[in-house]
Amino acid sequence: MMNKNSFISIALFCIIFYLPPLQAQKEIYLDVNQSIDKRIESALEKMTLEEKVAMCHAQSKFSSKGVPRLGIPEIWLSDGPHGIREEVLWDEWSTAKWTSDSCTAFPALTCLAATFNTQMSLLYGKSIGEEARYRNKAVLLGPGVNIYRTPLNGRNFEYMGEDPYLASRMVVPYIQGVQQNGVAACVKHFALNNQEVYRMGVSVEVSDRALREIYLPAFKAAVEEGNAWSIMGAYNKFRGEHCCHNDLLLNKILKGEWAFDGVVVSDWGGVHNSDQAVNNGLDLEMGTSTNGMTSKSTSTYDQYYLANPYLKGLKSGKYSEQILNDKVRRILKLIFRTTMSANRPFGKFVSPEHSAAALQIAEQGIVLLKNNKHLLPIEVGKYKKIAVIGENATRSMTVGGGSSKLKVVSEVSPLQAFIAKYGADHIIYSQGYSSGPSKYGKEIPSTLNADSLIAVAVEVAKNADLILYVGGLNKNHLQDCENGDRKSMDLPFGQDKLLTALLTANKNIAVILISGNAVAMPWVNEVPAIVQAWYLGSEAGNAIANVFVGDVNPSGKLPFSFPKKLEDNAAQFFGKDSYPGDGIIENYKEDILVGYRWFDTKKIAPLFAFGHGLSYTTFEYGKITTDKTIYAGNETVKLRFSIKNTGKVKGAEAAQVYISDVKSSVLRPMKELKAFSKVMIEVGESKQVEINLPVKDWAFFNDKTKLWVIEPGKFTIMIGSSSDDIRQSLSVNVVGS
Ligand code: BGC
């Protein structure tokens, strides 16, 4: 029998001599107090070749392997970019039928861009990041920053418009907001994925100058300023090589020039070649089918280009382990930044704060395009009978659209919100047109009779004091939806015919367009009020109704131009060769003249210009001043001006600063956005705006020398309420370079 004293001695012996060694055995990679780099090396040295390769490709639709033996967790990824997608089955796209995954839908990224407010971007990122964290995702597949090049692109709604500066400023806070939750943002689709037609194979040909000035800046800002922890390669090719394994884009520019230290994730099924995937900068291969390609197959994930073929090549000496280690280091870094980080908060899901954030972003992004005779706002009680007409008044816009589709906890429709504001007794609804159900990759026409729908709507319109028309596009195939482009810029489903008929019955009409793209408006002159309302997410109806009754003064600005007709748009102007290409090659012939750069320079008047957006009040811009008149290329202009609210309600104005290089050795756009500032101003109040403009940002990219160049000479600085409403300007001189 052990006596008490010897028991205590043994216990003490254990504590002194046994426990400390146990503690000292704690592996460095598990120790959150160690630097990430040390943790990476400690994990890497313990891993077998097989374990390393297993980390470089998918194990299910939305996850990749960790190292179970070492307690290193799997990576779970989720779409993105407007909410956290519902869970799908391991190997299939169909729903996993969870009951706990209905999320908050935030407004589409076109709406976020339209807020012209970086604070909204931070709020967006923080909120969606919290939802992703709560759902245990390590990677959020978003935001998207492909440039709006044509109004036909089915995925424009997932991006931030046509201007590289606007997209750059808006993408950075989104990423920071997401990542402060210990969730990696995955910026997509890198790069030049500006259309859905031929997206899997078309090779984009574009000059270095347009690449650097137009298509790359938002990705560069995402990496260098946003410090994005992952990026997704695009489906298309660039100069003959698929973007998911494009040496120039991934190795040279992203990882070389921009020193990206995160993970390059392929788009799902975007990998086509093991040699290129191994050597050209891809780190993690994800797939649409179980063989990593887009067709159905009974093979397993082991067949992926970065799976067995990779392992085989490593074993035979074809591929170097050094490159594999670089991939694995990046993947481990992502894990240590997210799931294995000590600083990871716990997240929140469908919280009241998230609804409030979704509402605020939606309200700030709604754009008042036209408002003749102050038709809006429409106070409660002003009209006895209001006809709400149009399918989009009741249609869910979180369903459909492709990978960004969401299962939401709630989505307030415009009709519901109008009824709540104006009272059920004052609202009568008529569908007016019908689009048919939403199905991925398939257009299913409506079976309802279009003429009867119009006839009923016209009767309703005749007897109403006001029409609130809610139309636009939707998330059906060949509308605003992945995997297809629109067939034309016209409103679909017979809406132009319907609107023309409604106008003969009642001209007191406000048109609310729900879309992520510009539409043609043959009826524009006859309609007194038009509102661009995007896809607004869970709080859609509330945001629209708040603007309509005047509780919210609209302050959104267009993040892309609305052409009068499709052929006016730069990409279309040059014919099929320029858009959509022939399936093999596509030449971006408009070069740097994208969006308003084209309309301005070519003196083609758009229907509504980039940056346009009215308010219920009026703003007067004061005189613009700078601290000096002559600047060196490395100096910063300190710009000052005042904005006065000269109307009757408080409101916010997104003031825009454009520059123009008066004389240049190369073609430069008439105007380029270089700054913006959104300020809330009380009635009668005047606010000072101060903006710093680094002269180096006015450079152009010289295609021959491959350098950014500032040519000495005169530059005009313009401030305005939109790209075609410049209120003040002055010139400064730049000396030296
Ligand atoms: C889309 C990506 C998306 C992925 C996963 C792809 O088809 O292009 O944007 O994140 O699917 O759903």
Side-chain angles (χ1 to χ4, degrees):
M1 272 282 282
M2 197 189 294
N3 68 26
K4 197 176 158 197
N5 281 348
S6 46
F7 179 79
I8 291 170
S9 318
I10 291 172
L12 270 173
F13 177 86
C14 286
I15 288 165
I16 295 164
F17 297 102
Y18 188 67
L19 281 185
L22 234 196
Q23 256 173 14
Q25 268 174 18
K26 186 169 183 182
E27 301 292 355
I28 291 176
Y29 72 91
L30 291 172
D31 185 351
V32 293
N33 296 316
Q34 298 285 345
S35 73
I36 286 192
D37 286 341
K38 278 199 180 139
R39 296 177 74 189
I40 291 170
E41 295 313 314
S42 141
L44 194 68
E45 70 183 21
K46 293 178 181 55
M47 290 170 64
T48 63
L49 200 64
E50 282 75 8
E51 284 168 337
K52 290 180 187 175
V53 170
M55 285 190 116
C56 298
H57 59 89
Q59 62 167 0
S60 78
K61 284 269 167 283
F62 281 107
S63 73
S64 62
K65 250 200 167 54
V67 193
R69 180 178 65 86
L70 299 178
I72 296 174
E74 303 165 332
I75 294 181
W76 279 88
L77 312 94
S78 171
D79 286 304
H82 308 135
I84 311 307
R85 185 173 177 166
E86 77 173 309
E87 303 299 328
V88 298
L89 295 176
W90 189 261
D91 267 349
E92 290 164 39
W93 289 103
S94 34
T95 169
K97 295 194 180 149
W98 286 23
T99 54
S100 58
D101 58 351
S102 299
C103 69
T104 307
F106 297 92
L109 293 194
T110 36
C111 172
L112 176 62
T115 67
F116 272 66
N117 185 345
T118 53
Q119 292 298 318
M120 289 301 103
S121 217
L122 186 62
L123 176 66
Y124 196 123
K126 173 184 172 286
S127 311
I128 196 172
E130 285 174 351
E131 298 234 340
R133 166 62 189 99
Y134 186 87
R135 289 267 301 278
N136 275 320
K137 305 301 176 189
V139 181
L140 173 72
L141 302 172
V145 285
N146 293 101
I147 289 292
Y148 186 113
R149 177 175 179 256
T150 161
L152 301 189
N153 178 14
R155 291 189 87 171
N156 277 335
F157 70 100
E158 291 186 64
Y159 306 139
M160 298 193 187
E162 73 187 22
D163 183 72
Y165 178 79
L166 176 66
S168 302
R169 290 311 94 220
M170 297 303 285
V171 74
V172 170
Y174 182 118
I175 295 166
Q176 290 166 340
V178 169
Q179 294 189 167
Q180 74 194 20
N181 290 289
V183 172
C186 186
V187 187
K188 62 195 193 182
H189 308 88
F190 187 65
L192 300 154
N193 183 186
N194 308 103
Q195 67 192 49
E196 290 298 284
V197 171
Y198 303 140
R199 68 174 176 168
M200 300 308 281
V202 73
S203 181
V204 172
E205 292 297 321
V206 65
S207 71
D208 279 333
R209 181 169 176 207
L211 182 72
R212 300 289 180 157
E213 289 188 25
I214 306 292
Y215 296 101
L216 291 189
F219 288 105
K220 184 171 192 268
V223 170
E224 292 188 338
E225 297 173 59
N227 199 12
W229 294 338
S230 64
I231 201 165
M232 186 190 290
Y235 279 135
N236 50 285
K237 291 179 182 171
F238 167 52
R239 296 186 185 159
E241 206 164 58
H242 273 102
C243 292
C244 286
H245 31 79
N246 187 296
D247 184 52
L248 175 58
L249 286 176
L250 303 179
N251 279 340
K252 301 215 164 60
I253 296 179
L254 178 68
K255 292 182 173 176
E257 285 178 36
W258 302 346
F260 175 67
D261 68 355
V263 176
V264 177
V265 181
S266 76
D267 201 342
W268 270 229
V271 183
H272 304 267
N273 178 302
S274 280
D275 288 357
Q276 289 183 12
V278 168
N279 294 316
N280 291 357
L282 180 70
D283 301 309
L284 174 57
E285 179 187 3
M286 300 301 294
T288 296
S289 199
T290 43
N291 67 347
M293 293 173 255
T294 47
S295 57
K296 270 260 173 236
S297 157
T298 49
S299 340
T300 68
Y301 294 93
D302 295 341
Q303 304 307 314
Y304 274 40
Y305 294 97
L306 284 188
N308 281 352
Y310 192 12
L311 190 60
K312 204 170 147 212
L314 281 158
K315 285 188 173 159
S316 72
K318 185 180 181 197
Y319 303 134
S320 91
E321 196 169 344
Q322 207 188 337
I323 292 178
L324 172 68
N325 285 344
D326 177 65
K327 297 185 199 303
V328 177
R329 281 194 179 97
R330 289 167 181 275
I331 293 167
L332 286 168
K333 186 173 246 180
L334 186 136
I335 295 172
F336 293 134
R337 283 168 156 169
T338 57
T339 33
M340 288 183 85
S341 156
N343 307 320
R344 202 177 196 213
F346 301 110
K348 268 190 233 167
F349 199 51
V350 289
S351 71
E353 291 83 10
H354 292 175
S355 304
L359 180 65
Q360 198 187 355
I361 296 160
E363 288 172 346
Q364 284 214 19
I366 290 174
V367 182
L368 180 59
L369 292 177
K370 180 175 178 184
N371 195 18
N372 278 10
K373 297 197 188 130
H374 303 288
L375 179 67
L376 305 184
I378 298 155
E379 295 116 55
V380 176
K382 183 164 181 196
Y383 294 105
K384 267 214 176 102
K385 273 193 223 151
I386 302 176
V388 175
I389 296 176
E391 189 185 70
N392 282 354
T394 60
R395 193 178 175 91
S396 167
M397 293 298 177
T398 52
V399 172
S403 56
S404 65
K405 73 175 179 183
L406 296 171
K407 182 168 113 191
V408 289
V409 87
S410 73
E411 182 179 358
V412 181
S413 74
L415 181 63
Q416 278 173 312
F418 283 137
I419 289 174
K421 289 282 183 202
Y422 294 115
D425 295 348
H426 299 285
I427 301 271
I428 173 155
Y429 174 65
S430 180
Q431 186 177 340
Y433 70 90
S434 174
S435 66
S438 164
K439 186 153 172 58
Y440 186 74
K442 200 162 179 210
E443 217 182 3
I444 306 176
S446 165
T447 50
L448 299 182
N449 183 298
D451 289 335
S452 314
L453 287 172
I454 293 181
V456 174
V458 168
E459 275 315 300
V460 169
K462 268 187 201 155
N463 298 315
D465 304 313
L466 169 80
I467 305 172
L468 299 180
Y469 180 84
V470 194
L473 309 180
N474 63 22
K475 298 285 188 70
N476 283 9
H477 184 53
L478 307 186
Q479 300 296 318
D480 281 330
C481 184
E482 185 182 344
N483 197 16
D485 282 356
R486 299 166 65 199
K487 287 180 282 190
S488 85
M489 211 178 84
D490 297 339
L491 275 180
F493 319 122
Q495 291 179 80
D496 285 337
K497 191 173 167 195
L498 168 64
L499 274 162
T500 310
L502 292 176
L503 279 161
T504 59
N506 190 336
K507 291 206 175 335
N508 205 26
I509 178 166
V511 170
I512 300 151
L513 291 170
I514 311 286
S515 78
N517 260 315
V519 297
M521 302 184 202
W523 32 263
V524 68
N525 295 328
E526 291 166 69
V527 165
I530 307 172
V531 171
Q532 176 60 36
W534 317 113
Y535 298 108
L536 297 177
S538 288
E539 293 291 323
N542 290 336
I544 293 170
N546 286 347
V547 166
F548 268 71
V549 297
D551 289 350
V552 168
N553 187 354
S555 61
K557 301 279 188 179
L558 288 181
F560 51 82
S561 321
F562 277 53
K564 283 189 178 152
K565 51 184 194 307
L566 187 60
E567 308 81 72
D568 286 352
N569 187 63
Q572 267 76 22
F573 182 87
F574 293 97
K576 286 210 163 64
D577 193 19
S578 175
Y579 173 87
D582 59 5
I584 297 164
I585 209 162
E586 182 179 14
N587 287 296
Y588 283 18
K589 289 193 168 164
E590 74 284 10
D591 202 52
I592 54 156
L593 296 183
V594 176
Y596 67 91
R597 288 165 164 77
W598 167 262
F599 291 104
D600 276 359
T601 312
K602 297 290 173 184
K603 302 205 172 19
I604 300 169
L607 184 60
F608 294 108
F610 172 84
H612 171 73
L614 304 173
S615 165
Y616 293 154
T617 190
T618 44
F619 299 104
E620 204 176 275
Y621 281 64
K623 201 169 168 340
I624 170 177
T625 62
T626 50
D627 54 334
K628 302 196 292 182
T629 51
I630 300 175
Y631 295 88
N634 59 1
E635 287 188 302
T636 293
V637 177
K638 290 191 191 331
L639 193 71
R640 293 183 68 151
F641 57 93
S642 62
I643 310 177
K644 188 174 180 189
N645 182 341
T646 48
K648 295 194 177 70
V649 281
K650 79 168 182 185
E653 169 75 333
Q656 298 152 45
V657 181
Y658 297 87
I659 65 106
S660 169
D661 188 349
V662 176
K663 206 169 154 208
S664 170
S665 63
V666 297
L667 172 78
R668 297 211 59 177
M670 277 284 279
K671 279 189 210 92
E672 293 172 56
L673 184 73
K674 294 296 168 195
F676 56 87
S677 172
K678 192 165 188 173
V679 272
M680 175 59 83
I681 314 175
E682 297 293 332
V683 177
E685 189 193 7
S686 183
K687 273 217 172 131
Q688 275 296 322
V689 181
E690 293 183 11
I691 289 175
N692 287 339
L693 288 175
V695 174
K696 68 170 175 30
D697 293 351
W698 306 354
F700 67 87
F701 189 81
N702 186 319
D703 245 330
K704 290 195 191 95
T705 61
K706 311 293 176 212
L707 295 172
W708 289 93
V709 180
I710 291 262
E711 285 176 344
K714 206 186 247 184
F715 283 79
T716 306
I717 303 174
M718 295 160 270
I719 52 168
S721 188
S722 82
S723 64
D724 71 348
D725 184 8
I726 297 302
R727 303 290 180 86
Q728 300 276 332
S729 65
L730 59 64
S731 292
V732 295
N733 277 297
V734 172
V735 290
S737 57

